[in-house]
Amino acid sequence: MPVTRCSTLPSGHLPGDAVAAFHRDGVLVIEGFKRKDECEALRTRANELVLEHGPKAAGTIFSTKRPQHQDSQYFLDSACGIGVFFEEEAFDAQGKLAYPLPLAANKLGHAMHDLDPVFSEFSKGLALQAVSESLGVADPRVMQSMYIFKQPGIGGEVVCHQDSTYLYTEPMSVIGYWFAIDDAHTGNGCLGGLPGEHRKGMKNLFRRQADGQLDTETVNDAIDWDMQQLEWLEVPAGTLIVFNGCFPHLSKANRSAQARHAYTLHAVDGACAYPADNWLQRSIDRQAVGFV
């Protein structure tokens, strides 16, 4: 069964059948959620932030296949800041950037929604609060934001994973809010996901260890995702895709001449416990807040 696509009601809430589909499939496509001018303003600001913060990034690469970023202090500090992480293929054989900064960045993270006015405006509002309430989270707390560039020609593959591997609560409550800034299709590396496979639970957890290091632990090696369920989520710019933190998803490398920019928020239920071994820990003076 294809992933359900819907629009919000005049109240901003989701139709009942769409809510049921979200809980069944772990994912829902909400069409026309953001205007084109809102998407373009975010793109412009993202490129400005890369130019501002990129020179201080010291060549930090973000890769889901070889996560060498995970032990860097720069990565940890980005929990309450704005970090620039580069595409693996953006560097030449001598280790120097082979592309201009705005065409070399893999992502920005992880607190633009708190620190930057343009990102904050995009990330808040009654419309997002209404969606959250529809999905059963009356007290959402936005833990992180990520702007993903998926650069033309060098945009890296993202292997199949669950976002709650990297952010989790007890009980599990993470919801991802993925906004298409560009039209996303199979040619430029759109999301692909496995509807219904979220019901199998968590496979891995990325945790802070007793020695302060970060490591990925297998918590249920019996989970075997059915890749035959893979559905490509081709969507136009302005679409919002919401998904359960346990929803397995991926994207292929972008070898096209078209970028596939996207923006993601991850929110948790304020009523749930947020363990101290999550990699992302907010500082005392920058606690997570909601959509309104």
Side-chain angles (χ1 to χ4, degrees):
M1 179 182 295
V3 167
T4 297
R5 297 176 182 239
C6 72
S7 299
T8 55
L9 299 170
S11 67
H13 292 81
L14 296 171
D17 58 346
V19 173
F22 173 81
H23 292 301
R24 179 192 69 223
D25 299 334
V27 61
L28 180 69
V29 175
I30 306 173
E31 298 175 323
F33 194 84
K34 290 287 188 179
R35 302 187 311 270
K36 183 175 178 60
D37 63 296
E38 294 176 294
C39 294
E40 290 306 311
L42 201 70
R43 180 203 310 278
T44 298
R45 186 58 183 147
N47 285 329
E48 291 171 350
L49 289 175
V50 170
L51 290 172
E52 178 182 347
H53 295 274
K56 298 174 283 188
T60 304
I61 293 171
F62 183 86
S63 170
T64 60
K65 293 190 287 186
R66 288 180 291 278
Q68 62 196 68
H69 63 281
Q70 68 185 38
D71 292 325
S72 74
Q73 191 61 46
Y74 183 82
F75 173 66
L76 293 172
D77 290 344
S78 73
C80 293
I82 299 176
V84 178
F85 302 88
F86 295 106
E87 292 284 3
E88 192 169 5
E89 295 180 31
F91 296 86
D92 62 21
Q94 286 72 47
K96 298 184 180 299
L97 279 178
Y99 296 83
L101 280 173
L103 293 176
N106 170 285
K107 77 171 188 176
L108 287 167
H110 292 88
M112 293 86 66
H113 63 291
D114 286 331
L115 301 176
D116 183 80
V118 177
F119 273 83
S120 178
E121 183 177 359
F122 193 99
S123 306
K124 294 180 170 62
L126 292 174
L128 280 166
Q129 178 66 24
V131 170
S132 178
E133 290 174 355
S134 297
L135 300 180
V137 183
D139 184 20
R141 305 292 176 88
V142 183
M143 298 305 300
Q144 70 170 16
S145 51
M146 297 188 297
Y147 190 94
I148 311 297
F149 292 85
K150 204 74 168 179
Q151 301 287 5
I154 61 169
E157 175 189 6
V158 177
V159 298
C160 195
H161 67 287
Q162 299 166 300
D163 284 359
S164 282
T165 293
Y166 305 99
L167 285 175
Y168 70 102
T169 61
E170 298 170 349
M172 199 67 73
S173 69
V174 174
I175 295 178
Y177 298 77
W178 189 98
F179 303 87
I181 305 302
D182 286 311
D183 295 344
H185 50 80
T186 54
N188 67 352
C190 68
L191 287 184
L194 306 176
E197 293 292 282
H198 68 294
R199 295 194 298 269
K200 294 180 177 178
M202 285 302 303
K203 188 172 186 175
N204 301 306
L205 283 178
F206 180 63
R207 288 171 160 162
R208 290 176 182 251
Q209 306 300 308
D211 62 1
Q213 298 298 303
L214 304 174
D215 197 18
T216 302
E217 305 172 6
T218 299
V219 294
N220 189 345
D221 57 9
I223 291 178
D224 184 21
W225 294 324
D226 181 6
M227 299 306 293
Q228 296 299 315
Q229 300 300 316
L230 180 64
E231 180 175 341
W232 295 110
L233 302 176
E234 295 186 298
V235 296
T239 302
L240 169 60
I241 301 176
V242 289
F243 48 85
N244 184 292
C246 294
F247 174 65
H249 58 284
L250 54 84
S251 65
K252 291 186 177 179
N254 182 12
R255 301 306 182 195
S256 77
Q258 179 188 3
R260 195 230 65 188
H261 288 208
Y263 179 53
T264 304
L265 298 170
H266 288 100
V268 302
D269 190 333
C272 297
Y274 188 82
D277 58 1
N278 269 308
W279 86 264
L280 191 149
Q281 297 294 329
R282 307 299 297 266
S283 61
I284 296 297
D285 62 346
R286 198 169 298 285
Q287 293 298 296
V289 297
F291 294 121
V292 292

